[in-house]
Amino acid sequence: MEETLEKPEKPVSRKKPKMTFESKGRTVYYQLQDKIFKYFALAATSLGLIVLVLLLYSVFSSGFDRLDWDFITSLPSKRAAKAGIYTAWTGTLWIMFLTTIIAFPIGVSAGIYLEEYSSRSRMSNLIEINIANLAGVPSIIYGLLGLEVFARFLNLGASVLTGSLTLALLILPIIIVSTREAIKTVPYTLREASFALGASKWQTIWNQVLPASVPGIITGVILAISRAIGETAPLIVIGALTYVPFAPTSPMDEFTVMPIQIFNWVSRPQKAFAENAAAAIIVLLSITFVMNAIAVYLRHRSQKKVKW
Amino acid sequence: MKIEANNVRVSYGSEQVLKGITMSIKKNTVTAFIGPSGCGKSTFLRCFNRMNDLIETCKVEGQIMIDESDIYHPKVNINELRKSVGMVFQKPNPFPKSIFENVAYGLRINGVTNKKYIEEKVEWAIKQAALWEEVKDKLKKSAFALSGGQQQRLCIARALAVEPSILLMDEPASALDPISTTKIEELIYNLKASYTIIIVTHNMQQATRTSDKTAFFYMGDLIEYDDTRTLFTNPKKQKTQNYITGRFG
């Protein structure tokens, strides 16, 4: 069989073929346009990367020598060489933990409600627009709200809890919006299939919609928390201190966080404090990177469970 | 009569898409709904398991009786109704889970936890859908690893696992190749012994091959409803004649 399929070899023509399809006129212009845009995009991408690399280099070169175990476990001090970030990073972890616990269930539930339960009415449109707007409100406004409502009215003071509640409010819109976006990507046919088998709305959401949208939800939540741990302004407004001689042990304790500590050190004239600040930035960046790594891992794991 | 529809009218907002349909369907028969796109046949099909309820603007009037009970009665539990009226959709829509879990889903949401029972029921359902030999060694694999035709038979198995008495099929083979289509049609023929089947189709050969009775819909009206052979060889209405001979549609 195979022999019959083989074609006799054609003589290869060595003559240069007539060029019918060479570029001319407008096509030359379009090709040039293509190239220009490609290099422009490349330049834009590299610009961002170069700035990041420069920043990392400058931070590492001035702060890396200062970074040791003592720096991480020491309390703050007036002498730069003795000062550490123990209270700052424990404060940051506390804030991170409490903010997540408060914002995650509320944000995800609100997202589910808006996407799955609420009917398309003028009211829901209004809520939708407002949530989108809230995501753009400057964080210091949230600080003022937290100061008035949590610190003063509820009498929680400048505590970890006040800080967490304030930051939870700040990141709620982000979590709600990303939850909705994640739920929107779940095809309607999946819900239909579930309903057609007699599943209730909640069974459909719990068994089909949420598992399929978990990767997107987790990504949104982690991005939101990463934003929260970088915030300084609202925490300063509610009264978080720059000097706390002890690490918080309960939600009602006073606290400071990494960005405030860094801000405090950067604003001092001595070079030694600038080195401290650089070292603290390295730690803060590490926390953020670890968070992102966890996000990638969780996303990967939940994607494996959903067998597309 | 298994199903009796009495003056069923459906509208989306202000647009009426079904203008009073009355028909009855016998137990253990296959009924084909044919008609041009937008004639209301799919909408009518979705009245029997109240899938139209999911669309906010959709309003259903009239009466549909299944086993002599009014399925639009306020006391009807819609989830119970859908358990006894299974549905297969136009595009295969398996869940992003394993083959086994796809079929077990209907049992699990019913609160069945007995592992042995679930395993038996899943095997039974997949065998009913003539898919067992092809998937028995890869039940743990993703349903998306199957071909389109296999996915559609998996969806049929998934619907059968909750033991419905009626099976609604909305153009079940329109997204499949000819060989898979043949398999689905054979399956429909074999399932007739135990289920009452309604199939919406654009393919008139398919209607003649699979169904006992055929209903021709046009612009929201039921034009003609008769034995399949009679309807295709000796239609009483001119519109039916025009449609089945391909003059429009």
Side-chain angles (χ1 to χ4, degrees):
Chain A
M1 282 301 281
E2 271 180 24
E3 283 106 274
T4 57
L5 284 174
E6 226 164 89
K7 283 179 190 158
E9 219 170 285
K10 269 188 195 164
V12 182
S13 156
R14 297 275 169 219
K15 224 174 74 186
K16 193 176 172 232
K18 204 180 112 200
M19 292 297 287
T20 317
F21 303 118
E22 61 194 300
S23 33
K24 52 185 176 259
R26 293 199 74 82
T27 55
V28 178
Y29 166 71
Y30 289 141
Q31 269 178 344
L32 188 68
Q33 193 184 38
D34 226 15
K35 271 204 184 109
I36 290 173
F37 182 75
K38 181 180 146 195
Y39 287 113
F40 177 76
L42 183 69
T45 313
S46 350
L47 188 70
L49 281 175
I50 290 167
V51 170
L52 182 69
V53 168
L54 283 178
L55 184 80
L56 282 178
Y57 172 76
S58 100
V59 167
F60 269 85
S61 62
S62 65
F64 195 72
D65 292 336
R66 185 65 187 85
L67 201 61
D68 55 18
W69 192 242
D70 277 343
F71 181 69
I72 289 168
T73 55
S74 294
L75 297 171
S77 161
K78 277 177 189 152
R79 277 181 297 158
K82 264 187 76 181
I85 54 165
Y86 183 63
T87 55
W89 71 257
T90 46
T92 288
L93 285 190
W94 263 102
I95 288 280
M96 220 164 92
F97 177 68
L98 279 182
T99 306
T100 312
I101 286 185
I102 298 162
F104 179 74
I106 299 176
V108 173
S109 307
I112 292 173
Y113 173 77
L114 288 172
E115 206 51 48
E116 296 286 330
Y117 286 98
S118 82
S119 55
R120 301 266 119 224
S121 63
R122 200 175 285 180
M123 187 64 193
S124 72
N125 281 339
L126 200 70
I127 293 176
E128 211 163 290
I129 292 165
N130 272 306
I131 287 173
N133 281 338
L134 279 179
V137 170
S139 59
I140 197 149
I141 309 286
Y142 282 96
L144 293 170
L145 182 77
L147 175 69
E148 217 33 67
V149 176
F150 303 127
R152 292 193 182 146
F153 182 71
L154 294 178
N155 213 7
L156 298 173
S159 64
V160 176
L161 189 58
T162 301
S164 303
L165 286 168
T166 308
L167 289 182
L169 282 185
L170 177 77
I171 65 172
L172 259 182
I174 308 175
I175 296 182
I176 294 172
V177 169
S178 58
T179 301
R180 295 188 62 182
E181 291 306 319
I183 288 177
K184 262 187 208 157
T185 62
V186 180
Y188 183 69
T189 54
L190 204 67
R191 295 177 177 82
E192 239 180 6
S194 178
F195 285 131
L197 287 166
S200 66
K201 189 136 196 169
W202 173 245
Q203 283 175 324
T204 301
I205 292 172
W206 182 251
N207 292 306
Q208 303 298 341
V209 177
L210 282 183
S213 49
V214 154
I217 294 175
I218 288 182
T219 311
V221 169
I222 301 236
L223 283 177
I225 295 165
S226 299
R227 169 160 181 209
I229 62 172
E231 279 296 340
T232 324
L235 296 179
I236 290 179
V237 173
I238 63 157
L241 304 171
T242 47
Y243 176 80
V244 182
F246 52 84
T249 53
S250 90
M252 297 313 294
D253 286 343
E254 293 183 319
F255 71 102
T256 188
V257 289
M258 301 282 300
I260 295 181
Q261 184 70 72
I262 292 166
F263 174 68
N264 176 25
W265 279 336
V266 167
S267 56
R268 296 196 188 195
Q270 296 94 325
K271 191 170 169 284
F273 278 114
E275 280 169 14
N276 279 2
I281 289 171
I282 296 173
V283 176
L284 185 59
L285 278 177
S286 309
I287 294 177
T288 316
F289 286 154
V290 168
M291 295 265 299
N292 284 334
I294 293 171
V296 170
Y297 171 73
L298 286 177
R299 199 167 56 201
H300 181 72
R301 222 185 58 164
S302 53
Q303 257 164 357
K304 262 202 312 204
K305 253 193 226 156
V306 176
K307 300 185 177 182
W308 287 113
Chain B
M1 283 295 156
K2 180 75 183 170
I3 304 171
E4 275 172 283
N6 196 355
N7 194 19
V8 174
R9 285 150 291 150
V10 180
S11 49
Y12 296 114
S14 57
E15 187 197 359
Q16 189 160 30
V17 290
L18 282 182
K19 301 166 182 166
I21 309 287
T22 300
M23 74 189 296
S24 44
I25 292 169
K26 262 196 220 141
K27 200 175 174 220
N28 295 1
T29 56
V30 176
T31 306
F33 288 179
I34 61 168
S37 298
C39 68
K41 56 193 190 305
S42 281
T43 302
F44 190 46
L45 187 78
R46 282 160 180 256
C47 288
F48 298 113
N49 63 347
R50 292 183 59 175
M51 284 303 268
N52 288 328
D53 290 23
L54 295 173
I55 301 160
E56 265 176 58
T57 54
C58 182
K59 200 168 133 215
V60 180
E61 290 164 296
Q63 194 185 41
I64 294 179
M65 310 284 279
I66 291 179
D67 291 329
E68 278 155 21
S69 63
D70 180 358
I71 63 167
Y72 280 88
H73 191 277
K75 284 212 172 134
V76 165
N77 180 324
I78 199 164
N79 300 329
E80 288 298 327
L81 170 73
R82 287 181 185 149
K83 274 166 207 163
S84 62
V85 185
M87 186 161 192
V88 177
F89 297 84
Q90 181 174 1
K91 248 184 85 191
N93 57 352
F95 298 128
K97 295 172 186 269
S98 71
I99 292 169
F100 183 89
E101 283 305 322
N102 259 278
V103 184
Y105 181 70
L107 302 166
R108 294 199 196 283
I109 56 168
N110 271 314
V112 179
T113 50
N114 185 334
K115 226 178 138 195
K116 189 113 199 303
Y117 177 78
I118 293 178
E119 274 170 18
E120 282 171 9
K121 204 78 208 169
V122 168
E123 183 177 336
W124 172 83
I126 298 178
K127 277 180 176 161
Q128 285 267 296
L131 188 63
W132 182 250
E133 288 307 315
E134 291 154 71
V135 302
K136 63 180 178 189
D137 299 322
K138 46 180 179 182
L139 292 173
K140 290 232 164 70
K141 285 241 175 74
S142 165
F144 286 84
L146 299 174
S147 74
Q150 290 173 325
Q151 285 184 18
Q152 194 61 305
R153 276 179 285 148
L154 182 71
C155 291
I156 295 175
R158 181 175 69 185
L160 297 182
V162 290
E163 298 189 63
S165 62
I166 297 172
L167 203 55
L168 309 174
M169 301 178 126
D170 193 354
E171 299 182 43
S174 67
L176 305 180
D177 64 89
I179 295 170
S180 304
T181 303
T182 311
K183 282 189 179 157
I184 299 278
E185 287 178 7
E186 281 169 4
L187 185 56
I188 292 170
Y189 187 81
N190 293 331
L191 289 174
K192 194 168 80 170
S194 335
Y195 306 90
T196 306
I197 298 171
I198 307 177
I199 174 172
V200 166
T201 179
H202 272 127
N203 180 333
M204 279 177 269
Q205 279 76 39
Q206 187 167 68
T208 54
R209 281 191 298 258
T210 56
S211 69
D212 303 299
K213 287 199 144 203
T214 298
F216 170 61
F217 292 82
Y218 184 65
M219 307 269 285
D221 281 316
L222 175 60
I223 305 294
E224 193 166 347
Y225 176 44
D226 212 331
D227 288 337
T228 298
R229 185 173 298 185
T230 317
L231 188 127
F232 278 102
T233 54
N234 192 13
K236 292 184 185 63
K237 300 272 170 62
Q238 187 61 39
K239 270 185 190 146
T240 318
Q241 170 81 25
N242 289 349
Y243 183 70
I244 60 175
T245 52
R247 243 167 270 169
F248 76 93

Coordinates of all heavy atoms in Angstrom, one line a residue, chain A residues 235-282:
Chain A
L235 N -4.3 53.5 59.0 CA -3.9 53.0 60.4 C -3.4 54.2 61.2 O -3.6 54.3 62.4 CB -2.9 51.9 60.2 CG -3.5 50.6 59.5 CD1 -2.4 49.6 59.4 CD2 -4.7 50.1 60.3
I236 N -2.7 55.1 60.5 CA -2.2 56.3 61.2 C -3.3 57.1 61.7 O -3.4 57.6 62.9 CB -1.2 57.1 60.3 CG1 0.1 56.3 60.1 CG2 -0.9 58.4 61.0 CD1 1.1 57.0 59.2
V237 N -4.4 57.2 60.9 CA -5.5 58.0 61.2 C -6.2 57.4 62.5 O -6.6 58.2 63.4 CB -6.5 58.1 60.1 CG1 -7.8 58.8 60.5 CG2 -5.9 58.9 58.9
I238 N -6.4 56.1 62.5 CA -7.1 55.6 63.7 C -6.2 55.6 64.9 O -6.7 55.3 66.0 CB -7.6 54.1 63.4 CG1 -6.5 53.2 63.2 CG2 -8.6 54.1 62.3 CD1 -6.8 51.7 63.4
G239 N -4.9 55.9 64.8 CA -4.1 56.1 66.0 C -3.1 55.0 66.2 O -2.6 54.8 67.3
A240 N -2.8 54.2 65.2 CA -1.8 53.2 65.4 C -0.5 53.9 65.7 O -0.2 55.0 65.1 CB -1.6 52.3 64.1
L241 N 0.3 53.4 66.6 CA 1.5 54.1 67.1 C 2.7 53.8 66.3 O 2.8 52.7 65.7 CB 1.7 53.8 68.6 CG 0.5 54.1 69.4 CD1 0.7 53.5 70.8 CD2 0.2 55.6 69.5
T242 N 3.7 54.7 66.3 CA 4.9 54.4 65.7 C 5.9 53.7 66.7 O 6.8 53.0 66.3 CB 5.6 55.7 65.2 OG1 5.6 56.6 66.2 CG2 4.9 56.2 64.0
Y243 N 5.6 53.9 67.9 CA 6.5 53.2 68.9 C 5.6 52.4 69.8 O 4.8 53.0 70.6 CB 7.3 54.3 69.7 CG 8.1 53.6 70.8 CD1 9.3 52.9 70.5 CD2 7.7 53.5 72.1 CE1 10.1 52.3 71.4 CE2 8.4 52.9 73.1 CZ 9.6 52.3 72.7 OH 10.3 51.6 73.7
V244 N 5.7 51.1 69.7 CA 5.0 50.2 70.6 C 6.0 49.3 71.3 O 6.7 48.6 70.6 CB 4.0 49.4 69.9 CG1 3.2 48.5 70.9 CG2 3.0 50.3 69.1
P245 N 6.1 49.3 72.6 CA 7.2 48.6 73.2 C 6.9 47.1 73.4 O 7.7 46.4 73.9 CB 7.4 49.3 74.6 CG 6.0 49.9 74.9 CD 5.4 50.2 73.5
F246 N 5.7 46.7 73.0 CA 5.4 45.2 73.2 C 4.6 44.7 71.9 O 4.0 45.5 71.2 CB 4.6 45.0 74.4 CG 3.4 45.9 74.5 CD1 2.2 45.5 73.8 CD2 3.4 47.1 75.2 CE1 1.1 46.4 73.9 CE2 2.3 47.9 75.2 CZ 1.1 47.6 74.5
A247 N 4.7 43.4 71.7 CA 3.9 42.9 70.6 C 2.5 42.6 71.0 O 2.3 42.3 72.2 CB 4.6 41.5 70.2
P248 N 1.5 42.8 70.1 CA 0.1 42.6 70.5 C -0.1 41.1 70.8 O 0.4 40.2 70.2 CB -0.7 43.0 69.3 CG 0.3 43.0 68.2 CD 1.6 43.3 68.7
T249 N -0.9 40.9 71.9 CA -1.2 39.5 72.2 C -2.7 39.2 72.2 O -3.2 38.1 72.3 CB -0.8 39.2 73.7 OG1 -1.3 40.1 74.6 CG2 0.7 39.1 73.8
S250 N -3.5 40.3 72.0 CA -5.0 40.1 71.8 C -5.5 41.2 70.9 O -4.8 42.2 70.6 CB -5.7 40.3 73.2 OG -6.1 41.6 73.4
P251 N -6.7 41.0 70.3 CA -7.2 42.0 69.3 C -7.4 43.3 69.9 O -7.5 44.3 69.2 CB -8.6 41.4 69.0 CG -8.4 39.9 69.2 CD -7.5 39.8 70.4
M252 N -7.4 43.5 71.3 CA -7.7 44.8 71.9 C -6.4 45.5 72.2 O -6.4 46.7 72.7 CB -8.5 44.6 73.2 CG -9.9 44.0 73.0 SD -10.8 44.8 71.6 CE -11.0 46.4 72.3
D253 N -5.2 44.9 71.9 CA -4.0 45.6 72.2 C -3.7 46.7 71.1 O -4.1 46.6 70.0 CB -2.8 44.6 72.1 CG -2.8 43.7 73.4 OD1 -3.5 44.1 74.4 OD2 -2.2 42.7 73.4
E254 N -2.8 47.7 71.6 CA -2.3 48.6 70.6 C -1.3 48.0 69.7 O -0.7 46.9 70.1 CB -1.7 49.8 71.4 CG -2.7 50.6 72.2 CD -2.1 51.8 72.8 OE1 -1.0 51.7 73.3 OE2 -2.7 52.9 72.8
F255 N -1.0 48.6 68.6 CA -0.2 47.9 67.7 C 0.5 48.9 66.7 O 0.1 50.1 66.6 CB -1.0 46.9 66.8 CG -1.9 47.7 65.8 CD1 -1.6 47.8 64.5 CD2 -3.1 48.3 66.3 CE1 -2.4 48.4 63.6 CE2 -3.9 49.0 65.4 CZ -3.6 49.0 64.1
T256 N 1.5 48.4 66.0 CA 2.0 49.1 64.9 C 2.2 48.1 63.8 O 2.1 46.9 64.0 CB 3.4 49.8 65.2 OG1 3.7 50.6 64.1 CG2 4.5 48.8 65.4
V257 N 2.4 48.5 62.5 CA 2.6 47.6 61.4 C 3.9 47.9 60.7 O 4.4 49.0 60.8 CB 1.4 47.6 60.5 CG1 0.2 46.9 61.1 CG2 1.1 48.9 60.0
M258 N 4.3 47.1 59.8 CA 5.5 47.3 59.0 C 5.6 48.6 58.3 O 6.6 49.3 58.4 CB 5.7 46.1 58.0 CG 5.8 44.8 58.7 SD 7.4 44.4 59.4 CE 8.5 44.5 58.0
P259 N 4.5 48.9 57.5 CA 4.6 50.2 56.7 C 4.8 51.4 57.6 O 5.5 52.3 57.3 CB 3.3 50.2 56.0 CG 2.8 48.9 55.9 CD 3.3 48.2 57.2
I260 N 4.2 51.4 58.8 CA 4.3 52.5 59.7 C 5.7 52.6 60.2 O 6.4 53.7 60.3 CB 3.3 52.4 60.8 CG1 1.9 52.6 60.3 CG2 3.5 53.5 61.9 CD1 0.8 52.5 61.3
Q261 N 6.2 51.5 60.6 CA 7.6 51.4 61.1 C 8.6 51.9 60.0 O 9.5 52.7 60.3 CB 7.9 49.9 61.5 CG 9.3 49.7 62.1 CD 9.4 50.3 63.5 OE1 8.8 49.8 64.4 NE2 10.1 51.5 63.6
I262 N 8.4 51.5 58.8 CA 9.3 51.9 57.7 C 9.2 53.4 57.5 O 10.2 54.1 57.4 CB 8.9 51.1 56.4 CG1 9.2 49.6 56.5 CG2 9.6 51.7 55.2 CD1 8.6 48.8 55.5
F263 N 8.0 53.9 57.5 CA 7.7 55.3 57.3 C 8.4 56.1 58.4 O 9.1 57.1 58.1 CB 6.2 55.6 57.4 CG 5.8 57.0 57.3 CD1 6.1 57.8 56.2 CD2 5.3 57.6 58.4 CE1 5.7 59.1 56.2 CE2 4.9 58.9 58.4 CZ 5.2 59.7 57.3
N264 N 8.3 55.6 59.6 CA 8.9 56.3 60.8 C 10.5 56.3 60.6 O 11.1 57.4 60.8 CB 8.6 55.5 62.0 CG 9.3 56.0 63.3 OD1 9.6 57.2 63.3 ND2 9.4 55.2 64.2
W265 N 11.1 55.2 60.2 CA 12.5 55.2 60.0 C 13.0 56.0 58.9 O 14.0 56.7 59.0 CB 13.0 53.7 59.9 CG 13.1 53.0 61.2 CD1 13.3 53.6 62.4 CD2 13.1 51.6 61.4 NE1 13.3 52.6 63.4 CE2 13.2 51.4 62.8 CE3 12.9 50.5 60.6 CZ2 13.2 50.1 63.4 CZ3 12.9 49.2 61.2 CH2 13.1 49.1 62.6
V266 N 12.3 55.9 57.8 CA 12.7 56.7 56.6 C 12.7 58.2 56.9 O 13.5 58.9 56.4 CB 11.7 56.4 55.4 CG1 11.9 57.4 54.3 CG2 12.0 55.0 54.9
S267 N 11.7 58.6 57.7 CA 11.6 60.1 58.0 C 12.7 60.6 58.9 O 12.8 61.8 59.2 CB 10.2 60.4 58.5 OG 10.0 59.6 59.6
R268 N 13.6 59.7 59.4 CA 14.6 60.2 60.3 C 15.9 60.6 59.5 O 16.2 60.0 58.5 CB 15.0 59.2 61.3 CG 13.8 58.9 62.3 CD 14.3 58.2 63.5 NE 13.2 57.7 64.2 CZ 13.3 57.3 65.5 NH1 14.5 57.3 66.1 NH2 12.2 57.0 66.1
P269 N 16.7 61.5 60.0 CA 17.8 62.0 59.2 C 19.0 61.0 59.2 O 19.8 60.9 58.3 CB 18.2 63.3 59.9 CG 17.7 63.2 61.3 CD 16.4 62.4 61.2
Q270 N 19.2 60.2 60.3 CA 20.3 59.4 60.4 C 20.4 58.3 59.4 O 19.4 57.7 59.1 CB 20.4 58.7 61.8 CG 20.6 59.6 63.0 CD 19.2 60.0 63.6 OE1 18.2 60.1 62.8 NE2 19.2 60.3 64.9
K271 N 21.6 58.0 58.9 CA 21.7 57.0 57.8 C 21.4 55.6 58.3 O 20.9 54.8 57.6 CB 23.2 57.1 57.3 CG 23.4 56.2 56.0 CD 24.7 56.5 55.4 CE 25.0 55.5 54.3 NZ 25.4 54.2 54.7
A272 N 21.8 55.4 59.6 CA 21.6 54.0 60.2 C 20.1 53.6 60.2 O 19.7 52.5 59.9 CB 22.1 54.0 61.6
F273 N 19.2 54.6 60.4 CA 17.8 54.3 60.3 C 17.3 54.0 58.9 O 16.4 53.2 58.7 CB 17.0 55.5 60.9 CG 16.9 55.5 62.5 CD1 17.5 56.4 63.2 CD2 16.3 54.4 63.1 CE1 17.5 56.4 64.6 CE2 16.3 54.3 64.5 CZ 16.9 55.3 65.2
A274 N 17.9 54.7 57.9 CA 17.6 54.4 56.6 C 17.9 53.0 56.2 O 17.2 52.3 55.5 CB 18.3 55.4 55.6
E275 N 19.0 52.5 56.8 CA 19.4 51.1 56.6 C 18.3 50.2 57.2 O 17.9 49.2 56.7 CB 20.8 50.8 57.2 CG 21.9 51.3 56.2 CD 23.2 51.2 56.9 OE1 23.4 50.6 58.0 OE2 24.2 51.8 56.4
N276 N 17.9 50.6 58.4 CA 16.9 49.8 59.1 C 15.6 49.7 58.2 O 15.0 48.7 58.1 CB 16.5 50.5 60.4 CG 17.4 50.1 61.5 OD1 18.4 49.4 61.3 ND2 17.2 50.6 62.7
A277 N 15.3 50.9 57.7 CA 14.1 50.9 56.8 C 14.2 50.0 55.6 O 13.3 49.2 55.3 CB 13.8 52.4 56.3
A278 N 15.4 50.0 55.0 CA 15.6 49.1 53.8 C 15.5 47.7 54.2 O 14.8 46.9 53.5 CB 17.0 49.4 53.2
A279 N 16.0 47.3 55.4 CA 16.0 45.9 55.9 C 14.5 45.6 56.1 O 14.0 44.5 55.8 CB 16.8 45.8 57.1
A280 N 13.7 46.5 56.7 CA 12.3 46.2 57.0 C 11.5 46.1 55.7 O 10.6 45.2 55.6 CB 11.7 47.4 57.8
I281 N 11.9 46.9 54.7 CA 11.2 46.7 53.4 C 11.5 45.3 52.8 O 10.6 44.7 52.3 CB 11.8 47.8 52.4 CG1 11.2 49.2 52.8 CG2 11.3 47.5 50.9 CD1 11.8 50.3 52.0
I282 N 12.7 44.8 53.0 CA 13.0 43.4 52.5 C 12.0 42.4 53.2 O 11.4 41.6 52.5 CB 14.4 43.1 52.8 CG1 15.4 44.0 52.0 CG2 14.7 41.6 52.4 CD1 16.8 43.8 52.3

